[in-house]
């Protein structure tokens, strides 16, 4: 048959290409191993941090729930699976003399106080100098408003609160009130009252 006189040159060219692709493949495999190791390290650190934070929030939630509902109140947080980065969290809340099967069975006020307990349980782990609450007290009756106000007072030692509310009791507990009034049609005006100064006068 015919002889390919270019065979040696083609072999060289193909060998160079093969060597190039083998290097590229080795680089990709090496990069993949580094990437997988990095992801595993990040996930491990995230799981450790999540577990530590979850445990602190859980303790805080139990304590704050009992402060709001009394010593007979029971609350807990539980992880639903062992995969910490994708697990659901189950919230259990049992006010005194009640054994609800789910949070949906609680009254609006009880749900709100439970949410406030959880909010501040998280807040205790990562506090902030400033906090805005918008109408969180709306579903609460007068008795529960007092519990809410007491909790705000305890936290206001280290944090400044701005509360948007229509509740008279919450307003009475504030140091300063800001409101919007319309003295003339179509003209809004912001007014403020410093409660402490007015009381002293």
């Amino acid at each position: 048959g015919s002889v390919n006189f270019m065979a040696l040159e083609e072999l060289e060219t193909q060998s160079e290409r093969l060597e190039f692709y083998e290097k590229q493949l080795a680089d990709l495999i090496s990069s993949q191993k580094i990437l997988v190791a990095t992801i595993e390290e990040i996930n491990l650190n995230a799981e450790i941090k999540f577990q530590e934070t979850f445990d602190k929030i859980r303790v805080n939630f139990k304590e704050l729930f009992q402060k709001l509902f009394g010593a007979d109140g029971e609350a807990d947080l539980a992880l639903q699976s062992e995969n910490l980065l994708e697990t659901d969290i189950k919230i259990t809340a049992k006010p005194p003399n009640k054994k609800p099967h789910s949070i949906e069975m609680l009254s609006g006020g009880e749900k709100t106080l439970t949410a406030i307990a959880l909010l501040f349980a998280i807040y205790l782990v990562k506090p902030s100098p400033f906090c805005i609450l918008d109408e969180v007290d709306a579903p609460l009756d007068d008795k529960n408003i007092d519990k809410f106000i007491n909790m705000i007072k305890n936290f206001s030692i280290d944090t400044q609160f701005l509360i948007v509310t229509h509740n008279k009791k919450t307003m009475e507990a504030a140091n300063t009130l800001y409101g919007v009034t319309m003295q003339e049609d179509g003209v809004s005006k912001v007014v403020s009252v410093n409660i402490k100064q007015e009381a002293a006068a």
Side-chain angles (χ1 to χ4, degrees):
S2 60
V3 176
N4 182 0
F5 294 103
M6 302 293 292
L8 284 174
E9 289 179 17
E10 288 178 5
L11 175 63
E12 253 182 69
T13 304
Q14 295 304 323
S15 295
E16 285 174 7
R17 288 185 69 193
L18 177 62
E19 187 180 348
F20 172 77
Y21 286 128
E22 284 176 341
K23 281 183 181 176
Q24 293 289 309
L25 180 61
D27 284 347
L28 286 172
I29 291 170
S30 175
S31 298
Q32 182 191 24
K33 286 178 180 175
I34 291 168
L35 186 60
V36 168
T38 304
I39 290 170
E40 286 175 357
E41 185 181 352
I42 290 169
N43 285 346
L44 181 63
N45 289 334
E47 285 179 3
I48 291 168
K49 286 283 186 189
F50 176 83
Q51 188 67 61
E52 287 174 0
T53 305
F54 176 81
D55 291 340
K56 288 176 187 174
I57 291 171
R58 185 176 176 217
V59 171
N60 294 340
F61 179 54
K62 289 179 177 183
E63 289 175 1
L64 292 174
F65 189 85
Q66 287 189 332
K67 280 184 182 177
L68 290 171
F69 286 95
D72 293 335
E74 294 176 30
D76 203 0
L77 300 174
L79 301 174
Q80 296 295 89
S81 83
E82 292 180 8
N83 184 348
L84 297 182
L85 300 181
E86 295 183 14
T87 183
D88 290 334
I89 297 173
K90 181 180 180 183
I91 302 170
T92 307
K94 295 179 182 177
N97 306 319
K98 284 197 174 184
K99 298 291 179 191
H101 298 293
S102 73
I103 287 183
E104 295 304 316
M105 296 176 72
L106 298 176
S107 69
E110 289 167 339
K111 286 180 190 174
T112 301
L113 286 180
T114 302
I116 289 168
L118 182 57
L119 175 70
F120 282 104
I122 296 167
Y123 186 81
L124 280 171
V125 174
K126 193 153 177 81
S128 164
F130 194 77
C131 181
I132 299 174
L133 300 173
D134 186 4
E135 295 285 358
V136 295
D137 56 352
L140 300 177
D141 57 21
D142 285 350
K143 184 180 175 184
N144 288 330
I145 282 287
D146 290 335
K147 294 176 183 178
F148 169 69
I149 290 169
N150 287 334
M151 182 163 283
I152 293 294
K153 283 180 179 175
N154 289 337
F155 278 89
S156 64
I157 295 167
D158 300 313
T159 302
Q160 185 175 5
F161 285 91
L162 177 63
I163 302 174
V164 179
T165 184
H166 290 92
N167 188 287
K168 290 178 183 176
K169 284 192 118 181
T170 305
M171 290 184 206
E172 287 170 9
N175 295 331
T176 305
L177 293 177
Y178 294 93
V180 178
T181 183
M182 193 179 289
Q183 293 175 338
E184 301 174 35
D185 287 344
V187 181
S188 297
K189 182 181 177 184
V190 176
V191 293
S192 67
V193 178
N194 188 314
I195 304 296
K196 286 184 180 176
Q197 287 180 358
E198 291 295 324

